Amino acid sequence: MSDDDFLRVTDVSKWYGDEQVLNEVSFEMNRGDVTVLIGPSGSGKSTMLRCVNRLAEAQEGSIRLDGEEVLSPDLDVNALRREVGMVFQGFNLFAHLTAVGNVALGPRRVLGLSEAEARDRAEAQLERVGLGEQFDSYPAELSGGQQQRVGIARALAMQPKLMLFDEPTSALDPELIGEVLEVMHGLVDEGMTMLVVTHEMSFAREVADEIVFLDDGHVIERGPPEQLFENPEEDRTGRFLERIASHD
Amino acid sequence: MASATRPATVRERVADSDRSVGRLLLLSVGALFWSWLVVSWVNRWLGGVLVPVGQPLLPPGAVEATVAAVPGLAAYAADAAFVVDLTPELARGTWLTVVITAVSLVFGFFIAVPLAVSRVYGRFSAWLSLAYTELLRGTPLLAQLFVLYYGLNLASYVPGAFSGVFVRDVVWVAILGFTLNGAAYQAEYIRGALESVEEGQITAGRAIGLSKLETIYHVVLPQGLRYAIPSWTNEFVYLIKYSSLAAFITVPELYYRADQVASETFRYTLIFVVTGVTYLALVLTASKLMERVEERVAIPGLGVEREE
Ligand SMILES: Nc1ncnc2c1ncn2[C@@H]1O[C@H](COP(=O)(O)OP(=O)(O)OP(=O)(O)O)[C@@H](O)[C@H]1O
Ligand SMILES: [Mg+2]
């Protein structure tokens, strides 16, 4: 692929002890792309995401983000993470901070904004995800959908150039999934570059530029959604998609 | 949360009023106890503005006469006068007990937090921390005080700036001993609480670009220290009682003064019952205080859900 790929993952392998969880995984994204990672439980989707912001360490391969080698031992990982936002399945909101406190912490302590600037930025991000009324609520006082939107706002407040989503709606009651997907749709429309692990196939079909199917640490198949959903080349892909569909 | 609905049955209503009567009683006894202490201390600091230094706030003779006048209590009138006579010494000793406990607790806390953090998140420092806590928790506190006082003779090395702050410089040795020992216990309680902070909290902190130490400072400690309050209160209570060991290195705190009067008057039972009640009042104050702190800093929507 060409050198202007914004994110280029090449032959990434990772082991936990003797167990290989990523096996020469490769894919690439352009700026503004949405790539959706799918695959069965334990196939390595979360691990792949976490290698991109170095929450997990890949032992082999290369991950280039905007021309810089992410896996370089000299890389300042905190500087990398400033530019790569992450949204978690379990929200992981800071339990002792209000919604504003959660979103403002990064701008205040990592970007060095003043208290007032950080608060302004946090409020703006919360408005953006539709939580203008919940500035001073604590996580335990919010619904799951609201918590996840705070989680998204927290990541956005760092003004990242890439957003990682690890099953952002899997922990939510069905009636709360929509509000989170709506926020994600909005980000897609704004041109955010997003790498998303999800089982929401209609979302994937609608917004993904490419779908990557992982199984057992291998990329089994990847391509645009129409191709993967309508004419999967691999049996395994088709069977996985059928299984997911029957759950919906 | 107190609900706005009225208690339904008579039994509930009685229980409800019992609780508030008990509370009120406890509060007034507490207020009386602390007023006595504070007034006694202030009187001494100001050189006896209310009563001559060393004299009780109430004249023992008057107390004796009053008690004797109550039918059925006449037999205890002399004892009451004796206890009143004792109060200046008790107040004086309690001052040192309070100061030693409070100062050691605060100093110990600032050692305990890094110890606990090292233990949970450190590598080499985890071993150092473990060695420290095991050593200090595994040996008798009295032995530690003896090492500091008799062994190292630290009382004669108290720096000029600190010397003379207390009646005797040995008070600093006691504070040092309780600080070092208390830090080990506090560290254990705080460690347990830090370990109960969810892993995802740290992941989230790291993911926005906070360093490990920043994450600990801004995310883990604010939560962990809140969770530590109930068990940490135990250490507070223990320290109040263990501070009596300072008597064995000649610190004139509450126990020491009580013991002195007892060996002069041989009224051991009466004196140590009164002394015990004084410790009890301090302990109750500490635990009530920490309960309030816990409620005050509770995270909305989480935590302190006391049964009513
Ligand atoms: N910290 C870890 N230590 C050891 N093994 C791990 C660790 N994290 C993940 N694994 C293992 O790596 C494999 C891939 O895990 P991963 O979480 O990436 O899968 P996943 O595709 O995200 O699954 P799920 O859909 O259940 O989230 C699994 O077999 C898992 O048990
Ligand atoms: Mg996962």
Side-chain angles (χ1 to χ4, degrees):
Chain A
M1 285 281 155
S2 61
D3 247 10
D4 56 42
D5 286 324
F6 178 63
L7 177 71
R8 186 146 49 101
V9 175
T10 315
D11 294 335
V12 165
S13 294
K14 165 152 188 74
W15 289 260
Y16 278 118
D18 289 340
E19 193 199 350
Q20 182 160 16
V21 294
L22 293 176
N23 198 321
E24 304 194 345
V25 173
S26 301
F27 62 91
E28 50 283 312
M29 299 172 69
N30 289 318
R31 215 180 279 272
D33 274 0
V34 177
T35 295
V36 170
L37 282 179
I38 59 173
S41 182
S43 56
K45 306 178 298 293
S46 297
T47 306
M48 184 60 243
L49 281 196
R50 295 160 76 96
C51 285
V52 174
N53 67 354
R54 293 276 296 269
L55 284 176
E57 297 292 346
Q59 282 103 346
E60 284 178 11
S62 149
I63 298 177
R64 292 190 82 81
L65 174 62
D66 209 4
E68 262 203 280
E69 179 54 58
V70 167
L71 301 186
S72 158
D74 305 329
L75 180 97
D76 175 352
V77 290
N78 295 326
L80 166 75
R81 291 173 188 157
R82 248 170 260 162
E83 310 200 301
V84 179
M86 189 168 211
V87 175
F88 305 90
Q89 178 174 356
F91 324 136
N92 296 6
L93 295 186
F94 304 128
H96 65 297
L97 295 176
T98 61
V100 164
N102 264 274
V103 182
L105 186 66
R108 177 85 183 97
R109 300 295 168 191
V110 178
L111 304 180
L113 268 55
S114 74
E115 201 75 52
E117 289 169 328
R119 184 168 176 106
D120 285 349
R121 185 182 286 197
E123 289 179 354
Q125 294 305 328
L126 287 170
E127 304 265 9
R128 184 175 174 187
V129 299
L131 290 175
E133 308 287 308
Q134 268 80 29
F135 288 167
D136 297 316
S137 301
Y138 284 82
E141 301 173 319
L142 296 171
S143 73
Q146 291 172 326
Q147 290 189 52
Q148 190 57 296
R149 286 186 281 152
V150 175
I152 295 173
R154 176 173 68 182
L156 291 175
M158 303 299 288
Q159 301 180 331
K161 54 188 184 188
L162 169 67
M163 284 282 284
L164 308 173
F165 292 84
D166 192 357
E167 302 201 36
T169 58
S170 295
L172 295 176
D173 293 337
E175 71 273 18
L176 299 177
I177 291 176
E179 62 192 63
V180 171
L181 290 181
E182 193 183 321
V183 169
M184 292 174 67
H185 271 288
L187 293 180
V188 175
D189 294 342
E190 289 171 29
M192 177 65 75
T193 313
M194 297 162 54
L195 179 55
V196 184
V197 175
T198 186
H199 294 303
E200 292 297 321
M201 289 306 151
S202 51
F203 175 81
R205 195 187 281 256
E206 240 177 282
V207 305
D209 296 285
E210 185 173 67
I211 309 253
V212 177
F213 175 52
L214 271 181
D215 195 359
D216 206 11
H218 294 267
V219 175
I220 304 297
E221 183 169 358
R222 64 195 183 98
E226 313 79 60
Q227 180 197 314
L228 243 89
F229 285 113
E230 313 303 339
N231 299 305
E233 284 173 12
E234 300 287 330
D235 283 353
R236 266 203 270 183
T237 316
R239 267 182 286 144
F240 174 74
L241 289 172
E242 270 169 35
R243 215 167 56 230
I244 291 283
S246 69
H247 277 294
D248 282 349
Chain B
M1 279 286 152
S3 68
T5 53
R6 286 181 61 82
T9 67
V10 174
R11 225 176 91 217
E12 271 175 298
R13 232 173 294 155
V14 169
D16 208 44
S17 72
D18 269 358
R19 203 177 301 126
S20 48
V21 166
R23 240 180 78 85
L24 217 66
L25 204 69
L26 198 68
L27 264 177
S28 28
V29 170
L32 215 64
F33 173 76
W34 282 99
S35 324
W36 160 65
L37 273 181
V38 172
V39 172
S40 303
W41 296 338
V42 170
N43 181 61
R44 172 173 287 276
W45 295 330
L46 299 183
V49 283
L50 297 174
V51 294
V53 170
Q55 293 298 307
L57 296 178
L58 301 172
V63 171
E64 187 168 4
T66 313
V67 174
V70 179
L73 286 185
Y76 303 104
D79 286 348
F82 181 81
V83 171
V84 170
D85 228 1
L86 195 65
T87 51
E89 277 297 284
L90 285 182
R92 216 178 155 192
T94 305
W95 167 249
L96 265 191
T97 293
V98 168
V99 168
I100 291 172
T101 305
V103 173
S104 308
L105 199 70
V106 172
F107 286 178
F109 176 76
F110 285 103
I111 301 175
V113 170
L115 277 176
V117 168
S118 309
R119 188 71 192 286
V120 180
Y121 301 105
R123 294 202 187 100
F124 178 63
S125 61
W127 289 101
L128 278 182
S129 167
L130 177 70
Y132 179 86
T133 47
E134 289 305 307
L135 181 70
L136 290 208
R137 290 169 65 232
T139 55
L141 175 52
L142 192 56
Q144 294 165 18
L145 291 176
F146 280 179
V147 167
L148 296 179
Y149 181 62
Y150 295 114
L152 302 176
N153 190 21
L154 286 185
S156 56
Y157 297 108
V158 172
F162 295 102
S163 186
V165 170
F166 296 112
V167 272
R168 292 183 200 158
D169 282 350
V170 65
V171 173
W172 286 112
V173 180
I175 287 177
L176 179 68
F178 293 132
T179 297
L180 296 179
N181 182 274
Y185 282 94
Q186 290 189 48
E188 276 300 290
Y189 293 127
I190 295 172
R191 174 179 74 96
L194 294 186
E195 281 169 349
S196 74
V197 174
E198 279 173 49
E199 182 70 29
Q201 298 284 310
I202 299 167
T203 313
R206 301 307 309 272
I208 56 172
L210 292 171
S211 69
K212 189 169 166 183
L213 270 179
E214 288 169 333
T215 305
I216 291 169
Y217 186 77
H218 293 296
V219 178
V220 177
L221 283 177
Q223 295 179 39
L225 292 179
R226 281 176 165 94
Y227 304 154
I229 293 173
S231 55
W232 186 85
T233 302
N234 288 335
E235 176 53 20
F236 192 172
V237 164
Y238 280 126
L239 192 54
I240 291 171
K241 294 182 288 176
Y242 284 142
S243 68
S244 59
L245 290 177
F248 293 91
I249 58 170
T250 74
V251 174
E253 43 68 78
L254 179 54
Y255 179 88
Y256 181 93
R257 290 193 186 274
D259 192 49
Q260 275 209 326
V261 182
S263 61
E264 285 161 14
T265 61
F266 298 104
R267 310 275 326 251
Y268 280 96
T269 308
L270 185 57
I271 288 174
F272 280 106
V273 165
V274 173
T275 307
V277 168
T278 310
Y279 276 108
L280 180 64
L282 294 179
V283 163
L284 282 178
T285 306
S287 58
K288 288 287 163 204
L289 185 77
M290 292 312 298
E291 247 172 50
R292 293 297 285 277
V293 170
E294 191 187 355
E295 278 163 23
R296 187 59 87 72
V297 302
I299 300 165
L302 272 190
V304 237
E305 294 277 325
R306 294 187 182 288
E307 59 280 28
E308 275 254 315

